[in-house]
Amino acid sequence: MQMPEPSVDVLSRKARIVDRLRVGLPAGAVIDDPIELKAYECDGLSAYRCPPMCAVLPSSTEEVSAVMRICHEEGVPVVPRGSGTSLSGGALPTADSVLLGVARLSRVLDVDYANRFIRVEAGRTNLSVTGAVEQDGFFYAPDPSSQLACAIAGNIAMNSGGAHCLKYGVTTNNLLGVTMVMADGEIVEIGGAHLDAGGLDLLGLVCGSEGQLGVVTEATLRILAKPEGARPVLVGFDSAEVAGQCVSDIIKAGIVPVAIEFMDRLTIRAAEAHVAAGYPDCEALLIIEVEGSEAEIDDQLVRIIAIARQHDPVEIRESGSAAESEKIWKGRKTAFGAMGQINDYMCLDGTIPVSQLPYVLRRIGEMGEDYGLQVGNVFHAGDGNMHPLILYDANKPGDLEKTEALGADILKLCVEVGGCLTGEHGVGVEKREIMTAQYGADDLEIQMQVKDVFDPQWLLNPAKVFPLEASAGRRM
Amino acid sequence: MKVRSEQELAEVLAGANAPVRIQGGGTRDIGGPVSGEVLEVGICGVELYEPEALTLVARAGTPLAEIEAVLAGEGQRLAFEPMDHRVLLGTKGEPTIGGVIAANVSGPRRILAGAARDFALGARFVDGSGRVIKNGGRVMKNVTGYDLVKLMAGSWGTLGVLTEVSLKVLAMPETEATLVARGKDAAEGIAALSAALGSPWDITGAAHLDPGVAGPESETRVRIEGLAASVDYRIGALQREICVGWEVFRDDDSVALWRQVRDVAPFADEPVVWRLSVKPSAAPEISEALGVVGLGHAALYDWGGGLIWIAPGPGHDDAGAQAIRAQIAAHGGHATLVKAPADLRARIDVFQPQTGAVAALSRGLKQQFDPRGILNPGLMG
Ligand SMILES: Cc1cc2nc3c(=O)[nH]c(=O)nc-3n(C[C@H](O)[C@H](O)[C@H](O)COP(=O)(O)OP(=O)(O)OC[C@H]3O[C@@H](n4cnc5c(N)ncnc54)[C@H](O)[C@@H]3O)c2cc1C
C-alpha cells in the first residue's frame, strides 16, 4: 500500500500552521508532541501507520469550523477521525495532514421520544447513544461489533452496519440529519427531525462518503422502541453449502430474523478455544435471532427450526434463557478476537448475493490453499456481507504482501459473482486501488466530481477511496 | 421521442442540443413545468429476480404493475408502498419503476420500513453528457464509493436518466389489521399515533384524517402486519395500552383504508394539494396556524403526523405558498406543491426553496451531472 509523498511546502510551514491552530482553539486542543501523536498514527487497520503533522481535538462545531478555515487558508490536508476503529485505513493520516479528532464532541443535545429521534454530537460512541435512551425503552438500531468504541461520526462516514441490520437497516437508513463543517469552514445543516429531503438527497450522499465531503459534528438519529424480547437458535451443519441453502429457505419463507450469522469450522474452533461457548465441532454454524413477545418468538422459532430440520443439521440448540442466549452469542461476538489469538489477521468485508454463498466459500478455501494462507469465515449471512479473515504472521517478511494479494483476489471474486468490494468497512486506503474492479473510469470520475463540489481543493481525507493515479490530478 | 435501450439513450443525450423532458409512464406530472421535447424511457424488463436474496433488478421503464406481479408470484412486494399518483393527479398511463425511484415515492409504510431510496440498492443511469454510469450494486450491504443511488432517488430526472435499478424486496405479511378511532382532534390523534409508534409493536401505518376527509368524523388509524398470531397479539396489546376501544378492520378492509391514505384519494378532486414533511409533533400546530392566518383547508396526516397533505381550497392566489412556507421556516422540514395547474407551478416554487450552502451544493451537483442543463431544467427550481 502506498501513500502520496507528503507536501514539502506544507511541512515547511508546520510551525506557523500549528501556531495558528493554537490561537484558534482552547489550550490543550492542539497536539504536536511526537510521542502523543503516536496515538493517532493508525486506525483499526494497524498494518499501516503514519503520524500526522499535528492533531486537533475541538469541542464544538464552531471550533471545528475554525480549524477548517485555517487549514483551508493554509492548504493543509485534514483527516477526520472518530474513534479510530476503521478497518480500511479511513482515518490513516499522512505526514503533512492535520488529524481532526471529534472525540470531545460527545454530548447528547436532544432526546425526543414523541418524535422518536435523538440528536447527539458526532464524537459520541455508538453504544452510548443507546445508553442515553434505553432506560426509557428505546435504542439506536445500527450496532457494529465495535459499538463500545466507535463513534457516530465514523458510523456516518462509513455507513456502518451491524448484526441486526437485516431487520433495521444500516446507518443511512437510520440517519435523519447532520450538522457538517465544509472544507472551507462553512457550517451546513442537512435534514432534521423530518423524513426525506426536500431537494436533492445530500444526506444520503454524505453518509458513506468516508470523511471526504465534510466534517460531521452533530447528528439526528432515529430511535426505536426496544422489542419485548429476542432469542437466538444455533444450528450446526455438515457443509457450508447446506447452511447457505437453509438461509435461503428461511428468507424465502417470509421470515425476517433480526440476524443470521455464519461461522465456519476454523472460526468455530478458534471461538471454542477462546471462550468455550459450547459450539458443535462442524463445518458451518448459523446463529439465527428473532424478536418480539414470547409467543411471537416461539412462533417464529418453530417455523425456523422446521426449515432447519429439512437440512439434516448436526445440532439445533434453541436458547431457553437469557444466559443461554448470551452463551450462543458469545462465541460469535468474540470470534475476531479469538482469531487474533491464533495469529495476525486481515479482515475482509465483501458482499455477495446470498445465492453465491456456497460457491464463494469453496473458492475462498481453494484460493487460500494456493497462497498457503488459512482463511476463516464469520459473517452476516442474511445479507451476504462476508468477513473472510486471512491469518498471517506480521513478523514474517513477505507475509503481509501475500495476504494483501489474496485479499484483493477474494474481493475481486465477490465483484465477479455480482457483489461488491465492501459491505460496511469502507474503501479507505485498503481497497482504494481495486476500486477499478467494481467501477469503470466514468463511474469513478463522476464520484470524484461530487467531491469537487464539496471540497474543490481536495483537502479532506484526499488519499482515500479513489485509486491514487485516478485522483492524482485533483490532489494538491 | 422514445428510447428503447441504454445505448440509444446515451447517444440521444450526448447529441442533444436542447432540453428534454424525461418521462417514464407520465403519471407524475409534478414540479415546475419543463419545456422541451418529451423523452420517454421505454427501456423495459425485469432482468433478475432472486427471491431468496430479496433482490430484483429491473430496467427503468418497466411498469410497476409488472414488477408487483412478478413479486406477488413469490409472495413478495415492494415494502415502501409507492403511492399511485394517478389517483390524486388524474393522470393516465402506467407508472414505471424508474419514475418511482427518481421521485423517491413512498407510502404509509415508509414510517417503519423506509423510503423508496432505502430500498434502492443500485442504479445505472445516463448523465446529461451522455455518460453511462453505474453505482451501488444488487447486494443489500454496499459501501463501495459514494452512494449516488440515494442522490438519484428524489432527483426527479434532473441529474441523470435512470436506465436500471436494483431493489431490495420483502415478503408479504401473512395478514394485516387496522385499528381505527373516530372523533379525535388532530392533536389527540397524533399524540395517540406517537404513543403507538413509540411502542414495540411494529406499527406499519399511522394516519389521522381531519373531519370531512374520509367521513364526517375524523379518523385515526394504526396498522399492524405480520404472522397471524403476532398480529393478533399486537392488536390485543395496543387495545389494552394505547388504542383502547378502537375498532379493528382486517385483511381487505384494512388494505382499502391504507390504499386511500397512500394515494391521498380523498383529495382527488382538489385542484391544489401540498405535501409537507415535518417533525410529527409539530403537525397539529402547523395546521392550526394555517387556519389562523386564514388558510382554510383540510388535512390528511400520514407517517404519524410527519407527512401532512393539505388541500387549501379556493381563494388563495398563491395557493397558500407564503403561509405554508412560513410554517416550514418556523418548524423545519419541507413543503412541495404536488398538485396545481401548470401556470401556478410556473409562478410558485414547487419544491422547497433552498438557501446558503445547501443551495450551492445542489447547484454544484447539477452542474457536474448535467453541465448543459438539458435534463428536466426548471423542474426542481
Ligand atoms: C473489532 C471491530 C469490529 C468492527 N465491527 C464492525 C461492524 O460490525 N460493522 C461495521 O460496519 N464496522 C465494523 N467495524 C469497523 C469500524 O468500527 C466502523 O467503520 C466504525 O464506524 C468506525 O468508527 P470510528 O469512530 O472508529 O471512525 P474512525 O475509524 O475514526 O474513522 C472512520 C472514517 O470516518 C471518517 N470520519 C471520522 N470522523 C468523521 C467526522 N466527524 N466527519 C466526517 N468523517 C469522519 C474518517 O476520516 C474515516 O474515513 C469494526 C471494527 C473493529 C475494530
Side-chain angles (χ1 to χ4, degrees), chain B residues 297-314:
Chain B
H297 66 281
L300 186 164
Y301 308 83
D302 197 358
W303 300 354
L307 178 67
I308 322 178
W309 293 94
I310 288 180

Side-chain angles (χ1 to χ4, degrees), chain A residues 42-45 64 78-92 99-103 105 122-126 143-147 149-163 170-171 179-181 206 209-218 261 332-333 336-337 345 347 349 380 385 387 423-426 428-429 460-461 464-465, chain B residues 141 143:
Chain A
C42 71
D43 58 21
L45 186 63
V64 172
V78 175
V79 176
R81 178 184 171 106
S83 303
T85 67
S86 164
L87 291 172
S88 60
L92 176 71
L99 183 124
L100 193 167
V102 293
L105 284 151
R124 193 170 181 88
T125 60
N126 174 293
D143 58 341
S145 319
S146 52
Q147 67 181 159
C150 67
I152 292 299
N155 293 176
I156 294 171
M158 292 312 197
N159 188 16
S160 301
V170 295
T171 303
T179 301
M180 186 169 89
V181 180
V206 164
S209 63
E210 306 205 10
Q212 291 199 304
L213 301 185
V215 180
V216 174
T217 57
E218 294 178 13
E261 298 289 302
R332 166 63 185 92
K333 289 195 167 156
F336 285 25
Y345 68 78
C347 172
D349 171 49
H380 317 301
N385 188 188
H387 288 314
E424 58 182 18
H425 294 169
V429 296
L460 269 164
N461 224 5
K464 314 285 166 69
V465 183
Chain B
K141 281 173 79 184
V143 297

